[in-house]
Amino acid sequence: MVEFTVPEVDYTRYTNRQLAAVPLAVLVVALLVIAGWYVATGAPVNQGIEFTGGTEIQVAVDAPPAQAEEQIQQAFSVEPESIRSVPTESTYIVTFQSDDGSSVNPSMLEQQAEDAGFEIRAISSVSPSFGGDTQTLALGGVVAAFLGMSLLVFAMFRTFVPSIAVVISAFSDIVIPLAMMNVLGIELSLGTVAALLMLIGYSVDSDILLNNHVLRRSGDFYESTYRAMRTGVTMTLTSIAAMIVMTVTATIFGIQLLAAIGTVLVFGLAVDLMNTYMLNLSLLRWYKYEGVAR
């Protein structure tokens, strides 16, 4: 049986500014990426057809991969947004997005696929208006979850610095994965929105665990921190390992949605380790020794 031991970090070697500098710098870079993406594309992150509207058609093409993609490009009068292969089934998922608000005619695409000699495995379509409503509901759910989490944290600790430390960490845990989605070409979909909601839960869990050990349990600051790390780091690394396995498996079998969710969660959980045990901890130590709690 493999035993995992969390190393005890000597935090006395680092000042609060040094601990907070790295996560804050990463957060600033992430915000710049999102802002630049918004200026360039009109949206902070690329959106899937669930939010913009469009059509997704799954076809089987009897040709080598390079030739198959070329045949798919030539078969349709509308340029595909993306063409993804499913290796285990020798099929291709072709996405047509309605970015300009106009709808793509599924019947026309189906007819063109049949004329090209493709075998149609599945076809689904979302209207631009329905996609816009779905986007509003999904993003509204994320905002409501974040605000509810913030109110709950302030009600639990009733002091500004420990509470704002949790909120900032949770905010960073969402923003940095969003920036990574832009860099890696992962679209915002209902699945990735669910992953972001999960990250809020993971973030609050690890941050509240640290705050409770430091502020409400016996022992000095560093002893309490290490007790929290033994549980929190082990829990997060176990989740990261599980998400990596899911991502690799989903990629091999061509399950794009699960691969996207797993990738977002892997990056988000890694960011959560940084924010919890560097940014949050630096604010807690300042509060404990230099702030109003002194």
Side-chain angles (χ1 to χ4, degrees):
M1 182 177 179
V2 179
E3 182 178 354
F4 178 76
T5 303
V6 177
E8 188 169 357
V9 181
D10 184 8
Y11 281 105
T12 59
R13 296 174 53 191
Y14 309 99
T15 65
N16 291 331
R17 289 185 179 181
Q18 288 174 325
L19 287 175
V22 174
L24 288 177
V26 175
L27 175 60
V28 169
V29 171
L31 289 171
L32 290 175
V33 169
I34 292 174
W37 210 268
Y38 181 81
V39 171
T41 66
V45 63
N46 288 334
Q47 301 172 32
I49 63 172
E50 296 99 326
F51 296 150
T52 63
T55 300
E56 186 175 271
I57 182 169
Q58 184 174 334
V59 296
V61 182
D62 186 16
Q67 296 179 13
E69 292 197 14
E70 184 178 353
Q71 290 179 20
I72 292 172
Q73 290 279 2
Q74 296 174 353
F76 299 102
S77 58
V78 181
E79 184 178 358
E81 176 71 19
S82 65
I83 302 173
R84 306 191 306 270
S85 64
V86 183
T88 56
E89 299 179 9
S90 299
T91 59
Y92 294 83
I93 300 174
V94 189
T95 303
F96 301 87
Q97 207 162 34
S98 303
D99 289 322
D100 59 354
S102 60
S103 60
V104 180
N105 190 332
S107 300
M108 178 191 70
L109 297 176
E110 186 175 4
Q111 184 62 52
Q112 290 175 350
E114 291 176 349
D115 293 341
F118 301 156
E119 179 187 348
I120 300 175
R121 298 286 179 84
I123 184 169
S124 61
S125 182
V126 177
S127 69
S129 60
F130 183 79
D133 292 341
T134 303
Q135 180 186 47
T136 301
L137 288 173
L139 297 183
V142 173
V143 172
F146 188 85
L147 291 177
M149 174 275 298
S150 302
L151 292 174
L152 178 62
V153 167
F154 276 94
M156 286 180 62
F157 295 105
R158 299 181 182 179
T159 47
F160 181 76
V161 174
S163 300
I164 201 65
V166 177
V167 174
I168 292 175
S169 293
F171 176 75
S172 182
D173 285 353
I174 296 175
V175 170
I176 296 175
L178 277 175
M180 288 303 304
M181 287 170 60
N182 287 334
V183 174
L184 298 175
I186 298 175
E187 294 180 339
L188 186 68
S189 63
L190 290 175
T192 51
V193 167
L196 295 175
L197 289 171
M198 291 174 66
L199 286 176
I200 294 176
Y202 275 115
S203 176
V204 171
D205 188 26
S206 58
D207 287 319
I208 287 179
L209 177 68
L210 176 62
N211 285 17
N212 270 332
H213 275 78
V214 170
L215 299 177
R216 296 181 175 177
R217 297 196 179 184
S218 59
D220 64 18
F221 180 86
Y222 298 106
E223 178 186 350
S224 299
T225 296
Y226 182 60
R227 285 202 309 265
M229 288 182 67
R230 280 186 299 182
T231 302
V233 172
T234 302
M235 174 185 67
T236 303
L237 290 180
T238 302
S239 299
I240 289 175
M243 291 303 105
I244 290 175
V245 172
M246 184 185 82
T247 302
V248 172
T249 304
T251 301
I252 292 173
F253 287 96
I255 309 174
Q256 191 71 19
L257 178 59
L258 286 182
I261 292 173
T263 303
V264 171
L265 287 175
V266 167
F267 278 105
L269 290 170
V271 167
D272 181 52
L273 284 176
M274 175 185 69
N275 286 327
T276 300
Y277 301 108
M278 293 180 71
L279 179 58
N280 189 2
L281 188 135
S282 67
L283 292 172
L284 281 177
R285 188 169 66 176
W286 177 87
Y287 175 79
K288 191 83 171 178
Y289 293 111
E290 302 176 33
V292 296
R294 184 175 60 178

